[in-house]
Amino acid sequence: FVQGADAAAAELGITVDVKYAYGNQFFGDADITAAMDTWYAAGTEVVFACGGSMFESVKSAAEANPGSKIIGVDVDQSYASELVITSAVKGLKESVGKVLDQYYAGKWDSDLAGKTQNLGASDDATGLPIATSRFTTFTADQYNALLAKIKSGEIVPDSAVPADANNADWLSNFQIV
């Protein structure tokens, strides 16, 4: 996500300030709402609500701050609010299908047991629900062109994950300017 935002900002010749807050949970609460309210009030335009039901806290804060937008996660969350401009959706059908194909092909020991697979847009394991997205300048054709470049290998997202990724401290000072 951040890699794409950074690339888009560079292409447009603008500066983007990305902030990160670790919610430490997958449900909403007053503390998350208050933190996101502070962000929106200070000029944050869009919050990527990537933590399950934390979406409700982000939505409450966005509703209290005119002009605020949300990016949802996991499934298409456009149904939940007109403030959702898009969602980073998981291609669960595709991901599960790939693993089941490997399993039934007898690849448990070689490809699956004790191993991790990083699946992404090139595997149809993640993407944007373009039909319900509410972009004002980014078009379906532009999205499809970017997706084609990822699938062809012309654009290669950095999939490196720090060894301590399960410890949120690795992002404690995360910011792109």
Side-chain angles (χ1 to χ4, degrees):
F1 173 80
V2 174
Q3 186 180 359
D6 191 35
E11 186 176 303
L12 295 171
I14 61 174
T15 300
V16 174
D17 180 21
V18 177
K19 299 176 186 177
Y20 176 85
Y22 183 64
N24 202 33
Q25 63 196 32
F26 288 98
F27 55 89
D29 70 13
D31 290 340
I32 294 171
T33 301
M36 295 304 98
D37 185 58
T38 300
W39 281 17
Y40 282 129
T44 295
E45 296 175 34
V46 179
V47 171
F48 181 16
C50 52
S53 296
M54 287 191 314
F55 174 86
E56 291 302 321
S57 290
V58 175
K59 183 174 95 167
S60 293
E63 290 171 343
N65 290 277
S68 300
K69 301 293 182 193
I70 307 165
I71 296 173
V73 72
D74 296 336
V75 298
D76 181 0
Q77 292 183 309
S78 62
Y79 68 89
S81 173
E82 291 292 319
L83 302 177
V84 175
I85 57 174
T86 195
S87 299
V89 297
K90 295 177 181 173
L92 297 175
K93 174 183 168 190
E94 293 77 5
S95 301
V96 171
K98 180 177 181 163
V99 172
L100 287 173
D101 287 347
Q102 290 171 308
Y103 175 79
Y104 285 114
K107 296 183 178 181
W108 176 259
D109 290 330
S110 64
D111 292 356
L112 298 170
K115 297 186 173 77
T116 300
Q117 294 185 37
N118 289 323
L119 303 177
S122 61
D123 306 291
D124 294 322
T126 189
L128 302 178
I130 281 299
T132 58
S133 292
R134 296 181 180 99
F135 295 115
T136 56
T137 58
F138 185 63
T139 68
D141 288 342
Q142 290 171 312
Y143 172 74
N144 290 327
L146 282 172
L147 187 58
K149 288 180 180 181
I150 290 171
K151 288 183 175 191
S152 74
E154 184 178 339
I155 295 174
V156 180
D158 182 3
S159 63
V161 177
D164 62 349
N166 290 327
N167 177 351
D169 292 341
W170 72 273
L171 279 174
S172 61
N173 294 316
F174 179 73
Q175 197 167 44
I176 293 178
V177 178

